[in-house]
Amino acid sequence: MESVYSKRIRAGKRRTYFFDVRATRGNDYYITITESRKKFNEDGYDRHKVFLYKEDFNKFLKALTEAVDYVKTELMPDFDFDAYNHDQVPEGEGEERGPEIVSDSNGAPEAAVNPEIVKPSDNGEEVDKW
């Protein structure tokens, strides 16, 4: 199915999460959440995928928010979670999947304009084809 939006979150040296919005043939949308982990002492990656459908968006978001809030307020109230809000990963680390080069209206690579947004290429390739 067609990917219409992708957000990559790097989590340390070996893990990356991808949140992809996909379109169905019937112009419906769902989200795939992919965890990609670099294999230890091997080449390649392990990938695990969750499919989230529109009828479950609100329940999923509510449950995730409640679980995170519980950890932050009840289990670890003194922990500084903001200390981990670094968006930049050192060069060469966590590069499981780079953005596809898509030009903006001026012909500049869109990845250079906003590297956090990964868009599918115009030739129909899906963003998560590895």
Side-chain angles (χ1 to χ4, degrees):
M1 295 297 114
E2 179 185 350
S3 181
V4 295
Y5 174 85
S6 186
K7 175 75 175 180
R8 175 180 54 205
I9 298 174
R10 293 183 179 150
K13 294 180 180 183
R14 294 180 44 210
R15 287 180 295 122
T16 303
Y17 298 102
F18 298 95
F19 294 82
D20 296 306
V21 176
R22 300 188 173 282
T24 66
R25 290 183 187 128
N27 291 324
D28 205 359
Y29 299 95
Y30 63 98
I31 296 171
T32 60
I33 303 169
T34 306
E35 177 195 36
S36 179
R37 290 185 303 162
K38 186 169 176 52
K39 292 181 181 178
F40 189 70
N41 292 331
E42 294 182 42
D43 291 333
Y45 299 91
D46 285 326
R47 291 178 189 84
H48 301 91
K49 198 172 271 206
V50 173
F51 291 79
L52 184 60
Y53 300 98
K54 68 179 185 292
E55 58 270 17
D56 299 321
F57 285 1
N58 291 339
K59 292 182 280 188
F60 185 90
L61 185 57
K62 182 180 181 210
L64 179 61
T65 301
E66 287 176 2
V68 169
D69 287 346
Y70 180 77
V71 172
K72 286 183 170 183
T73 60
E74 301 296 325
L75 300 178
M76 303 179 79
D78 298 325
F79 186 79
D80 182 12
F81 289 94
D82 291 330
Y84 293 93
N85 284 347
H86 39 81
D87 293 332
Q88 301 299 323
V89 174
E91 192 171 321
E93 294 183 11
E95 291 292 328
E96 289 93 55
R97 176 178 94 180
E100 294 184 30
I101 303 301
V102 177
S103 298
D104 68 7
S105 59
N106 296 322
E110 186 127 6
V113 176
N114 190 347
E116 290 299 316
I117 296 177
V118 179
K119 294 184 179 180
S121 66
D122 290 334
N123 64 5
E125 293 178 6
E126 292 183 20
V127 172
D128 72 345
K129 289 228 176 176
W130 298 313

